[in-house]
Amino acid sequence: MKMAARTKARHESLGLSLEDVVQMYRVMLQTRMIGERMMQLNRMGKAMFVGVADGHEAAEVGSAWCIRKGVDWCVPYYRDVGVALVLGQTAKDQFLGVFAKATDPNSGGRQIVNQFSDVKAKMLSGSVHIATQFPHAVGLALAAKIRKQDHIVVTYGGEGATSPGDFHEAMNFAAVHELPVVFVIENNQYAISTPVKLQMAVANVADRAAAYGMPGVIADGTDVLDVYEKTKQACDRARGGDGPTLVEVKCYRYRPHSSDDDDSRYRSKDELQAWLQKDPIDKAAAYLLQQAVAASRLEDMRQEIAADIEAAITAAENDPDPDPATLTRYVYGEDAE
Amino acid sequence: MNIARDTALELYRVMGTIRRFEQRAEQLFGENKIWGTIHNYSGQEAVAAGVSAHLRDDDWITSTHRGHGHCIAKRADLGKMFAELLGRETGYCRGRGGSMHIADTSKGNLGANGIVGGGIPIAVGAALTAKQTKTDRVAVSYFGDGGANQGTFHEGLNLAAIWALPVVFVLENNQYAETNPVRDAFAVEDIATRAAGYGMPGVTVNGQDVRETYRAGGEAVARARRGDGPTLLVMDTYRYGGHYYGDPQVYRSKEEIEEWRAKRDPLAIARDWILTEKLASPADFDRIDTEVDAAVERGVKFAEASPPASPITLPEDVYAT
Ligand SMILES: Cc1ncc(C[n+]2csc(CCOP(=O)(O)OP(=O)(O)O)c2C)c(N)n1
Ligand SMILES: Cc1ncc(C[n+]2csc(CCOP(=O)(O)OP(=O)(O)O)c2C)c(N)n1
Ligand SMILES: [Mg+2]
Ligand SMILES: [Mg+2]
């Protein structure tokens, strides 16, 4: 048998241009670098509380890349800085949340950090209560079906969020009504200090899907293209009217759960090291270099992002704090009064 | 599995008692003597009888809104049950709760529950108690197909699986949750596949044949008692009556009901089996039926002779003293 003259590169067979992959890489790197600065600001006493996405970049960016901006709805969770950036939020938006400024797009400085909420980006505000996002997402998908709208819904959660009953009710309802929703579960092996083997007696979150008559697939969360591929298939299924899918993305968080957590108390350095060997950002960079993207371009990109982040922090710090007199605004709809 | 004569007749007696109790309860309801509502367990007798036959008084059950059968199979006092339904001071909850609030902790019955799926976490908690106190007590949670789609089911089964707790989940699939048929509530054909999502065994059982419910219940209870963890039993069954007394039942056909009654009646199946295997004679059944009738009538008499619950004492028993 004759070999094809040139085998397609992985991204090409997924329908992505090399420039797409470069841009995915850019957002991944931006996510990581924003996280680093958030943690620093916390340790400097400038940010009360932060939670970062280190290690989740491929999981978040690869999956969010499948969301059609301005069309599909997204119901993310607090770790999804990468998702928010893909959907159009800026570095400054993140720091406005960190500093709880009046101009914070998520909540005007009222919510805890990373409670993404953005009408333009079609990101539905979440609750701090984990797993409540799933029934909300299913409701949005039901609306699409009833109103014959074109959108699908992509919702996110950690593996810990698959234990509350909300997950069960949402999964069942979505499957029974064949709703256009994709559940992306970022399985980073821990729910704060609880390792996944104490969270569930099955090997994979994806194993749960069969109980609802829904496909469950596993993506390698260290590989942005694999995450893209699996999520894309799920989104296509939803768009084709074939119902929901559970996509489990296996990854690892490199940082403590939040700025208030000491992860050395529940996990070993060796374990962390093993996962650092598989760093999703390094993997994406290696792919780009192998595809003949110049190393200098990636380096320039890092510097641009760094400069943008510094400017964003300064600008965010200079924005006004919320006026206490407006405290009760946004509790109810503005026109309700 | 061979079931000895005494056990076979006891299973029949329990099922007969449930059937007769429900007939009398409906009659009393029709006479306007019962407060609140009642949910009839008729058709599902083999489930409670077969599983609870393996339980000791220090084992626990949690029950549902359709709970009379679970109570009786856990050896409740019929007089106190009727008294509760009739709102009498001598009832299980001094007549304040009614049908959906019968609990009898002396027999390990942690209570009926008006919240669909509400009993599941309670049973898991009881099983955790058994494990923490290093006893071999077992908890059984009865709930419906509707209950299985509540979040409590998910949280309860997951915890039971990861902690390998001595609990048996008995899902009574009576084909409907109120008006909603199971095919509109599950996207899986075989509900027992739910168990795999938690890493526990799941078994589908013919819930109309008490030999089957007795066998499956026995295995699951023994597994729990040995410390090998939980099991999900999906009992295929049917409720003969409406969801509640007076339900117009526009969501199912008369033919469907007749089909189950004629071909899959748990009492008829048990009689056939016991007679075929010559474990007992028709005269034995006549004797048991007469005894059952008498026991139920004694219960009704006791209740009707009891004083009504007094509004004066209503605030009592709200808090533990
Ligand atoms: C209902 C509820 N219970 C507990 C908490 C506290 N809590 C916040 S995050 C978290 C862990 C969630 O873990 P996981 O879903 O795996 O997400 P991860 O943080 O690992 O990304 C918990 C228990 C909460 N916010 N809401
Ligand atoms: C949490 C909750 N939701 C709704 C109801 C109303 N309700 C009472 S019984 C019932 C159906 C329960 O169906 P299933 O669990 O299958 O039990 P069955 O009645 O068939 O025995 C519903 C929805 C309730 N009591 N509790
Ligand atoms: Mg986690
Ligand atoms: Mg039912």
Side-chain angles (χ1 to χ4, degrees), chain B residues 44 66 144-147 172-178 180 182 239:
Chain B
Q44 305 180 205
R66 197 176 302 290
D145 44 283
E172 298 188 68
N173 176 11
N174 64 3
Q175 319 301 326
Y176 294 90
E178 291 192 346
N180 204 30
V182 288
R239 70 166 149 75

Side-chain angles (χ1 to χ4, degrees), chain A residues 162 165 168-169 172 199 208 211, chain B residues 148-149 151 154-155 158 162 185 194:
Chain A
T162 67
H168 178 67
E169 299 183 2
N172 190 54
Q199 183 78 241
R208 296 213 152 144
Chain B
N149 285 330
H154 182 63
E155 298 183 3
N158 190 48
I162 54 184
R194 283 267 159 99

Side-chain angles (χ1 to χ4, degrees), chain B residues 43 53 72 90-91 104 128 130 145 155 166-167 169 253 257 269 273 282 297 307 318:
Chain B
I72 291 169
T90 52
D104 180 9
L128 181 60
D145 44 283
E155 298 183 3
V167 51
F169 299 101
S253 68
I257 304 171
I269 290 172
W273 149 54
E297 284 322 307
V318 174

Side-chain angles (χ1 to χ4, degrees), chain B residues 123-135:
Chain B
V124 172
L128 181 60
T129 299
K131 188 161 181 169
Q132 299 279 35
T133 54
K134 298 189 171 36
T135 62

Side-chain angles (χ1 to χ4, degrees), chain A residues 73 135-147 149 151-154 173-174 177-182:
Chain A
W73 276 92
H136 296 167
V138 168
L140 281 168
L142 181 64
K145 188 170 177 171
I146 291 172
R147 298 177 179 171
Q149 286 168 334
H151 69 256
I152 67 160
V153 185
V154 180
F173 198 91
H177 298 283
E178 298 183 302
L179 299 181
V181 52
V182 177

